[in-house]
Amino acid sequence: MNVQVKKVYRNDYLNIISALFKKLGLPQLIDHLVPVDPQCQTRVSDAVQAIIYNLFDGRQALVHVERWAQEIDLEKLIRPGLHPSWLNDDALARHLDRLYEADIHKVISTCLIHIYRKEGLSLRAFHADTTDKTVYGAYESASLEALQITHGYNRHHRWQKQIGFGLVGNEDGIPFYGDVHDGNLPDKTWNPEVLSRVHEQLKQAKIEDEWIYVADSAAMTKDTLAQTKAANAFLITRGPSSLRIVKRAFAEADSAHIPWSDPFTLAERNGATYRVWETSSTYEGHPVRLIVVESSALDQRKGKTLEKERTKEAELLREEQAHWERHPFSCREDAEQALASLKASLRPRFHRVEAAVEEIVRPKKRRGRPKKGAEPEVETLYFLHLDVEFDQDAWEQARRKASRFVLVTTVPKEWKGQPMDAQEILKLYKGQISVEMNFAFLKDPFFTDEIYVKKPERVAVLGYLFLLALAIYRVFQRRVRQFITPEHPLKGPGGRKLTRPTGQAIFQLFQYVNVVLFKLPDGRIQRSLDRSLTPDQRRILQGLGLDESIYV
């Protein structure tokens, strides 16, 4: 019996992503939104899947996707009969153009709404934020309505050519809304605009219920507050320290009579404890709740700033000490005046300084040798003596104040039958990290390397496909985390226990899954895994409602 090995595919985790993409019904939805062109050998859904699977496999430029497609199990991942040569860069570029013409924002928005329905995800609260992505090259477009790839300052205040990403999603990081926008669009403009668009998406999903919009301090504007109300939503944001109502809240929080809450913790890794105190005010005619939060985990940047201030203050005080010890006064009156001036100018934050006039009687220096038997002349001089001591209480108080911030919210104290006290508002705000983790995905060179296309329209479409890939990644991660518990963790590299594994950690468990294609004597092709799946691999597949058939 002559059995030949026809091909070996390194399938690893791509088959899981492919199976999930299809179980969500996204290929059919995309082809419905952008109908199949009978003159094309490929469908738009083929191009979308190829680009997204290539992204998960370590993204390459479109010109290399055809060669990459020759090395993967294309018929299993996308559909039977699909040939790698059909996924050349010209064909992919044409599909990008068709997606743009079909309104790529609407296509991806419809896909995201579809995912939320399929997964039965909560629409109670959404977290919103923006980020930027550096791009290179010259981009030309005949349309003024196309994405404006412009120079702007990124989050690190560097001048660069960039595009912007905007995301609104739930606490699991699954986007409900996403956009690719001009590189210099400010957050203060983006927030009110996106509130209106999310409201439209909710109406499209036939949901007219109230919801909560959580965003960073750029959302604290008159326009955002007005648009939040118009969008049937409530706002939770961080109050900028420059606002008058925030300054007043900080000042009141220092009063001795303020009833701070007992310390409490949230489900966080750093185990930080919090105290909260709430007051109320109005801003631009809108009644708001102000929640002063004190955290035991000092913000890293603020901590460094305080350390620098303390070090600088100590150095200045040492210089003052050395200066006045070398600066004598001939009369006490002058020394007393200098002392008064010094006390008025010294305002140390982290040190206690005791300054006094010190009288010293010493032999008067004369030129030449003194006469034999002559009584030495003496002089009385006055010095300023500084005694500097580190003030531990002042230091702790400064750290405590630096660890405080103010949350501003329009959420009522009771909403949908649930108490929305200060602790619950803080818990919702801390979920903002889900959006920040998404930005790590969008900026990871493995997933979203440089964008090698020439037209801004195609840059925009690729950006939206990155957002769709992010949604798939987060759904995959959420599904796995639902059946992985601290009592029954996964076993990661080195025997490490994984209780809340990331998508990438799960990918690593499938890194060496290969499929071998055997050609049988009768010409039939038989698929087989090159080795048995491990218990953890089987557990993940079963938890996702899958089995070995996704490979063979």
Side-chain angles (χ1 to χ4, degrees), residues 255-404:
S255 302
H257 66 278
I258 290 300
W260 285 89
S261 73
D262 293 331
F264 61 90
T265 60
L266 300 175
E268 296 177 331
R269 287 185 180 181
N270 61 10
T273 59
Y274 300 93
R275 294 195 308 156
V276 293
W277 169 70
E278 181 177 338
T279 183
S280 60
S281 185
T282 58
Y283 182 73
E284 298 290 352
H286 297 271
V288 293
R289 297 165 60 191
L290 300 174
I291 299 166
V292 184
V293 182
E294 184 179 288
S295 169
S296 64
L298 183 63
D299 179 87
Q300 190 174 9
R301 287 176 299 179
K302 290 183 178 179
K304 287 181 178 179
T305 300
L306 280 180
E307 288 288 352
K308 286 180 180 178
E309 289 181 9
R310 182 176 75 166
T311 302
K312 186 177 181 180
E313 183 177 279
E315 289 176 355
L316 288 174
L317 290 173
R318 281 195 296 269
E319 289 175 3
E320 290 287 341
Q321 278 182 308
H323 170 73
W324 293 112
E325 286 175 0
R326 297 192 306 267
H327 188 85
F329 292 89
S330 299
C331 68
R332 177 176 289 275
E333 184 179 346
D334 290 346
E336 294 287 355
Q337 287 181 356
L339 177 62
S341 177
L342 177 63
K343 286 182 175 179
S345 63
L346 285 180
R347 298 182 182 275
R349 290 185 64 193
F350 312 117
H351 296 82
R352 286 189 293 268
V353 180
E354 296 292 335
V357 175
E358 189 174 53
E359 180 180 307
I360 295 179
V361 179
R362 68 183 186 185
K364 192 173 183 180
K365 294 182 180 180
R366 291 282 188 180
R367 295 179 65 183
R369 179 178 295 180
K371 293 181 180 180
K372 187 176 181 180
E375 288 288 331
E377 285 188 71
V378 296
E379 62 179 352
T380 302
L381 298 175
Y382 302 90
F383 294 85
L384 300 188
H385 177 72
L386 275 67
D387 187 12
V388 179
E389 182 182 354
F390 176 63
D391 190 341
Q392 186 66 39
D393 291 339
W395 172 249
E396 292 299 333
Q397 185 179 7
R399 284 178 57 85
R400 189 166 58 251
K401 285 186 177 181
S403 68
R404 290 177 182 173

Side-chain angles (χ1 to χ4, degrees), residues 146-163:
L147 176 70
Q148 299 300 305
I149 302 174
T150 58
H151 281 86
Y153 286 102
N154 70 359
R155 294 299 189 273
H156 303 289
H157 303 288
R158 297 191 186 115
W159 186 251
Q160 63 181 21
K161 187 177 288 188
Q162 61 187 19
I163 60 174

Side-chain angles (χ1 to χ4, degrees), residues 416-443:
K416 295 186 176 182
Q418 177 185 350
M420 300 299 288
D421 57 13
Q423 186 170 337
E424 183 65 23
I425 298 298
L426 174 61
K427 184 178 178 181
L428 282 170
Y429 179 77
K430 296 297 284 185
Q432 192 72 357
I433 192 174
S434 63
V435 185
E436 295 165 5
M437 294 298 291
N438 281 343
F439 294 156
F441 176 94
L442 291 173
K443 292 189 173 186

Side-chain angles (χ1 to χ4, degrees), residues 22-149:
K22 292 169 182 174
K23 283 175 75 75
L24 289 170
L26 292 175
Q28 298 91 331
L29 178 60
I30 291 170
D31 287 334
H32 171 73
L33 296 170
V34 190
V36 177
D37 186 342
Q39 295 183 338
C40 290
Q41 295 172 305
T42 53
R43 309 165 184 167
V44 171
S45 63
D46 297 336
V48 170
Q49 288 182 86
I51 291 171
I52 287 179
Y53 301 157
N54 178 253
L55 178 148
F56 281 111
D57 201 28
R59 184 176 165 270
Q60 300 162 313
L62 296 186
V63 71
H64 299 305
V65 170
E66 179 184 355
R67 185 175 63 187
W68 166 81
Q70 294 172 357
E71 304 300 321
I72 64 167
D73 197 353
L74 197 62
E75 292 194 352
K76 194 71 176 175
L77 289 174
I78 300 181
R79 62 180 174 87
L82 188 62
H83 196 275
S85 64
W86 298 351
L87 297 174
N88 58 70
D89 57 327
D90 287 335
L92 294 175
R94 283 194 297 272
H95 284 307
L96 293 182
D97 292 339
R98 294 187 65 212
L99 280 164
Y100 185 82
E101 291 166 3
D103 189 348
I104 182 61
H105 178 80
K106 182 178 179 181
V107 170
I108 299 303
S109 295
T110 304
C111 289
L112 296 179
I113 293 171
H114 179 78
I115 289 172
Y116 263 70
R117 283 174 171 162
K118 277 278 189 179
E119 294 296 294
L121 298 173
S122 170
L123 299 168
R124 173 175 175 265
F126 290 118
H127 300 269
D129 205 353
T130 66
T131 191
D132 49 69
K133 183 171 181 62
T134 305
V135 294
Y136 303 94
Y139 301 92
E140 297 180 1
S141 174
S143 172
L144 295 176
E145 298 178 357
L147 176 70
Q148 299 300 305
I149 302 174

Side-chain angles (χ1 to χ4, degrees), residues 454-465:
K454 295 180 180 179
K455 295 169 62 176
E457 293 86 350
R458 293 174 183 174
V459 173
V461 174
L462 275 180
Y464 276 103
L465 294 185

